[in-house]
PDB file of all heavy atoms in Angstrom:
ATOM      1  N   GLU A 212      40.127  56.947  55.893  1.00 95.00           N
ATOM      2  CA  GLU A 212      39.097  57.985  55.748  1.00 95.00           C
ATOM      3  C   GLU A 212      38.428  58.320  57.067  1.00 95.00           C
ATOM      4  O   GLU A 212      37.690  59.293  57.178  1.00 95.00           O
ATOM      5  CB  GLU A 212      38.083  57.585  54.669  1.00 95.00           C
ATOM      6  CG  GLU A 212      38.776  57.433  53.318  1.00 95.00           C
ATOM      7  CD  GLU A 212      37.817  57.367  52.130  1.00 95.00           C
ATOM      8  OE1 GLU A 212      36.831  58.112  52.102  1.00 95.00           O
ATOM      9  OE2 GLU A 212      38.093  56.551  51.230  1.00 95.00           O
ATOM     10  N   GLY A 213      38.733  57.550  58.105  1.00 94.00           N
ATOM     11  CA  GLY A 213      38.218  57.891  59.438  1.00 94.00           C
ATOM     12  C   GLY A 213      38.787  59.199  59.942  1.00 94.00           C
ATOM     13  O   GLY A 213      38.219  59.833  60.835  1.00 94.00           O
ATOM     14  N   ASN A 214      39.934  59.611  59.347  1.00 93.00           N
ATOM     15  CA  ASN A 214      40.544  60.895  59.750  1.00 93.00           C
ATOM     16  C   ASN A 214      40.100  62.046  58.858  1.00 93.00           C
ATOM     17  O   ASN A 214      40.631  63.162  58.964  1.00 93.00           O
ATOM     18  CB  ASN A 214      42.081  60.773  59.664  1.00 93.00           C
ATOM     19  CG  ASN A 214      42.625  59.722  60.621  1.00 93.00           C
ATOM     20  OD1 ASN A 214      42.153  59.602  61.740  1.00 93.00           O
ATOM     21  ND2 ASN A 214      43.601  58.936  60.160  1.00 93.00           N
ATOM     22  N   TYR A 215      39.126  61.791  57.989  1.00 94.00           N
ATOM     23  CA  TYR A 215      38.765  62.751  56.926  1.00 94.00           C
ATOM     24  C   TYR A 215      38.544  64.175  57.460  1.00 94.00           C
ATOM     25  O   TYR A 215      39.050  65.142  56.913  1.00 94.00           O
ATOM     26  CB  TYR A 215      37.494  62.269  56.214  1.00 94.00           C
ATOM     27  CG  TYR A 215      37.008  63.178  55.105  1.00 94.00           C
ATOM     28  CD1 TYR A 215      37.521  63.061  53.807  1.00 94.00           C
ATOM     29  CD2 TYR A 215      36.056  64.170  55.348  1.00 94.00           C
ATOM     30  CE1 TYR A 215      37.088  63.892  52.786  1.00 94.00           C
ATOM     31  CE2 TYR A 215      35.628  65.014  54.338  1.00 94.00           C
ATOM     32  CZ  TYR A 215      36.136  64.874  53.064  1.00 94.00           C
ATOM     33  OH  TYR A 215      35.716  65.718  52.065  1.00 94.00           O
ATOM     34  N   ILE A 216      37.812  64.281  58.557  1.00 93.00           N
ATOM     35  CA  ILE A 216      37.351  65.607  59.005  1.00 93.00           C
ATOM     36  C   ILE A 216      38.518  66.571  59.231  1.00 93.00           C
ATOM     37  O   ILE A 216      38.383  67.773  59.042  1.00 93.00           O
ATOM     38  CB  ILE A 216      36.492  65.472  60.305  1.00 93.00           C
ATOM     39  CG1 ILE A 216      35.730  66.768  60.610  1.00 93.00           C
ATOM     40  CG2 ILE A 216      37.349  65.023  61.480  1.00 93.00           C
ATOM     41  CD1 ILE A 216      34.541  66.972  59.704  1.00 93.00           C
ATOM     42  N   LYS A 217      39.684  66.029  59.588  1.00 92.00           N
ATOM     43  CA  LYS A 217      40.823  66.893  59.907  1.00 92.00           C
ATOM     44  C   LYS A 217      41.859  66.937  58.781  1.00 92.00           C
ATOM     45  O   LYS A 217      42.930  67.515  58.940  1.00 92.00           O
ATOM     46  CB  LYS A 217      41.516  66.397  61.198  1.00 92.00           C
ATOM     47  CG  LYS A 217      40.702  66.655  62.456  1.00 92.00           C
ATOM     48  CD  LYS A 217      40.629  68.143  62.774  1.00 92.00           C
ATOM     49  CE  LYS A 217      39.909  68.398  64.102  1.00 92.00           C
ATOM     50  NZ  LYS A 217      39.693  69.845  64.330  1.00 92.00           N
ATOM     51  N   PHE A 218      41.543  66.305  57.648  1.00 95.00           N
ATOM     52  CA  PHE A 218      42.498  66.352  56.530  1.00 95.00           C
ATOM     53  C   PHE A 218      42.623  67.781  56.008  1.00 95.00           C
ATOM     54  O   PHE A 218      41.652  68.565  56.067  1.00 95.00           O
ATOM     55  CB  PHE A 218      42.012  65.458  55.391  1.00 95.00           C
ATOM     56  CG  PHE A 218      42.247  63.985  55.595  1.00 95.00           C
ATOM     57  CD1 PHE A 218      41.524  63.055  54.844  1.00 95.00           C
ATOM     58  CD2 PHE A 218      43.173  63.505  56.510  1.00 95.00           C
ATOM     59  CE1 PHE A 218      41.721  61.691  55.009  1.00 95.00           C
ATOM     60  CE2 PHE A 218      43.388  62.148  56.673  1.00 95.00           C
ATOM     61  CZ  PHE A 218      42.659  61.240  55.922  1.00 95.00           C
ATOM     62  N   PRO A 219      43.761  68.140  55.436  1.00 96.00           N
ATOM     63  CA  PRO A 219      43.867  69.413  54.720  1.00 96.00           C
ATOM     64  C   PRO A 219      42.805  69.469  53.612  1.00 96.00           C
ATOM     65  O   PRO A 219      42.426  68.435  53.039  1.00 96.00           O
ATOM     66  CB  PRO A 219      45.278  69.377  54.133  1.00 96.00           C
ATOM     67  CG  PRO A 219      46.036  68.407  54.998  1.00 96.00           C
ATOM     68  CD  PRO A 219      45.025  67.400  55.447  1.00 96.00           C
ATOM     69  N   VAL A 220      42.342  70.666  53.296  1.00 96.00           N
ATOM     70  CA  VAL A 220      41.272  70.832  52.291  1.00 96.00           C
ATOM     71  C   VAL A 220      41.647  70.155  50.973  1.00 96.00           C
ATOM     72  O   VAL A 220      40.846  69.453  50.354  1.00 96.00           O
ATOM     73  CB  VAL A 220      41.000  72.344  52.050  1.00 96.00           C
ATOM     74  CG1 VAL A 220      39.973  72.539  50.923  1.00 96.00           C
ATOM     75  CG2 VAL A 220      40.533  73.005  53.329  1.00 96.00           C
ATOM     76  N   GLY A 221      42.897  70.337  50.554  1.00 97.00           N
ATOM     77  CA  GLY A 221      43.320  69.759  49.270  1.00 97.00           C
ATOM     78  C   GLY A 221      43.202  68.249  49.250  1.00 97.00           C
ATOM     79  O   GLY A 221      42.861  67.651  48.216  1.00 97.00           O
ATOM     80  N   VAL A 222      43.440  67.599  50.381  1.00 97.00           N
ATOM     81  CA  VAL A 222      43.317  66.135  50.450  1.00 97.00           C
ATOM     82  C   VAL A 222      41.850  65.744  50.375  1.00 97.00           C
ATOM     83  O   VAL A 222      41.465  64.809  49.660  1.00 97.00           O
ATOM     84  CB  VAL A 222      43.955  65.584  51.752  1.00 97.00           C
ATOM     85  CG1 VAL A 222      43.672  64.093  51.913  1.00 97.00           C
ATOM     86  CG2 VAL A 222      45.459  65.838  51.748  1.00 97.00           C
ATOM     87  N   LYS A 223      41.001  66.502  51.082  1.00 97.00           N
ATOM     88  CA  LYS A 223      39.559  66.239  51.011  1.00 97.00           C
ATOM     89  C   LYS A 223      39.065  66.374  49.573  1.00 97.00           C
ATOM     90  O   LYS A 223      38.297  65.542  49.073  1.00 97.00           O
ATOM     91  CB  LYS A 223      38.794  67.215  51.910  1.00 97.00           C
ATOM     92  CG  LYS A 223      38.983  67.002  53.397  1.00 97.00           C
ATOM     93  CD  LYS A 223      38.168  68.034  54.185  1.00 97.00           C
ATOM     94  CE  LYS A 223      38.275  67.825  55.683  1.00 97.00           C
ATOM     95  NZ  LYS A 223      37.536  68.876  56.438  1.00 97.00           N
ATOM     96  N   LYS A 224      39.546  67.404  48.882  1.00 97.00           N
ATOM     97  CA  LYS A 224      39.122  67.631  47.488  1.00 97.00           C
ATOM     98  C   LYS A 224      39.591  66.474  46.604  1.00 97.00           C
ATOM     99  O   LYS A 224      38.879  66.027  45.696  1.00 97.00           O
ATOM    100  CB  LYS A 224      39.712  68.955  46.964  1.00 97.00           C
ATOM    101  CG  LYS A 224      39.169  70.201  47.651  1.00 97.00           C
ATOM    102  CD  LYS A 224      37.756  70.516  47.223  1.00 97.00           C
ATOM    103  CE  LYS A 224      37.289  71.861  47.774  1.00 97.00           C
ATOM    104  NZ  LYS A 224      35.854  72.129  47.462  1.00 97.00           N
ATOM    105  N   TYR A 225      40.818  65.977  46.878  1.00 97.00           N
ATOM    106  CA  TYR A 225      41.330  64.864  46.076  1.00 97.00           C
ATOM    107  C   TYR A 225      40.470  63.619  46.278  1.00 97.00           C
ATOM    108  O   TYR A 225      40.096  62.924  45.329  1.00 97.00           O
ATOM    109  CB  TYR A 225      42.791  64.557  46.427  1.00 97.00           C
ATOM    110  CG  TYR A 225      43.327  63.389  45.638  1.00 97.00           C
ATOM    111  CD1 TYR A 225      43.730  63.538  44.314  1.00 97.00           C
ATOM    112  CD2 TYR A 225      43.366  62.111  46.198  1.00 97.00           C
ATOM    113  CE1 TYR A 225      44.177  62.453  43.564  1.00 97.00           C
ATOM    114  CE2 TYR A 225      43.806  61.019  45.460  1.00 97.00           C
ATOM    115  CZ  TYR A 225      44.211  61.196  44.151  1.00 97.00           C
ATOM    116  OH  TYR A 225      44.634  60.113  43.410  1.00 97.00           O
ATOM    117  N   ILE A 226      40.132  63.332  47.531  1.00 97.00           N
ATOM    118  CA  ILE A 226      39.322  62.141  47.823  1.00 97.00           C
ATOM    119  C   ILE A 226      37.951  62.259  47.153  1.00 97.00           C
ATOM    120  O   ILE A 226      37.461  61.320  46.512  1.00 97.00           O
ATOM    121  CB  ILE A 226      39.187  61.932  49.346  1.00 97.00           C
ATOM    122  CG1 ILE A 226      40.544  61.545  49.944  1.00 97.00           C
ATOM    123  CG2 ILE A 226      38.137  60.862  49.667  1.00 97.00           C
ATOM    124  CD1 ILE A 226      40.579  61.516  51.467  1.00 97.00           C
ATOM    125  N   LYS A 227      37.363  63.435  47.228  1.00 96.00           N
ATOM    126  CA  LYS A 227      36.055  63.643  46.569  1.00 96.00           C
ATOM    127  C   LYS A 227      36.209  63.480  45.055  1.00 96.00           C
ATOM    128  O   LYS A 227      35.375  62.874  44.376  1.00 96.00           O
ATOM    129  CB  LYS A 227      35.508  65.041  46.883  1.00 96.00           C
ATOM    130  CG  LYS A 227      34.915  65.169  48.264  1.00 96.00           C
ATOM    131  CD  LYS A 227      33.768  64.176  48.471  1.00 96.00           C
ATOM    132  CE  LYS A 227      33.450  63.939  49.948  1.00 96.00           C
ATOM    133  NZ  LYS A 227      32.857  62.606  50.167  1.00 96.00           N
ATOM    134  N   TYR A 228      37.339  63.981  44.514  1.00 96.00           N
ATOM    135  CA  TYR A 228      37.602  63.832  43.075  1.00 96.00           C
ATOM    136  C   TYR A 228      37.606  62.344  42.696  1.00 96.00           C
ATOM    137  O   TYR A 228      36.983  61.922  41.731  1.00 96.00           O
ATOM    138  CB  TYR A 228      38.947  64.465  42.711  1.00 96.00           C
ATOM    139  CG  TYR A 228      39.402  64.156  41.313  1.00 96.00           C
ATOM    140  CD1 TYR A 228      38.957  64.915  40.225  1.00 96.00           C
ATOM    141  CD2 TYR A 228      40.247  63.069  41.064  1.00 96.00           C
ATOM    142  CE1 TYR A 228      39.353  64.613  38.925  1.00 96.00           C
ATOM    143  CE2 TYR A 228      40.646  62.759  39.770  1.00 96.00           C
ATOM    144  CZ  TYR A 228      40.196  63.521  38.713  1.00 96.00           C
ATOM    145  OH  TYR A 228      40.578  63.198  37.430  1.00 96.00           O
TER     146      TYR A 228
END
Side-chain angles (χ1 to χ4, degrees):
E212 299 194 41
N214 297 321
Y215 179 86
I216 193 75
K217 288 291 185 187
F218 282 161
V220 175
V222 173
K223 290 180 178 177
K224 293 286 187 185
Y225 178 79
I226 292 171
K227 283 301 161 207
Y228 170 84

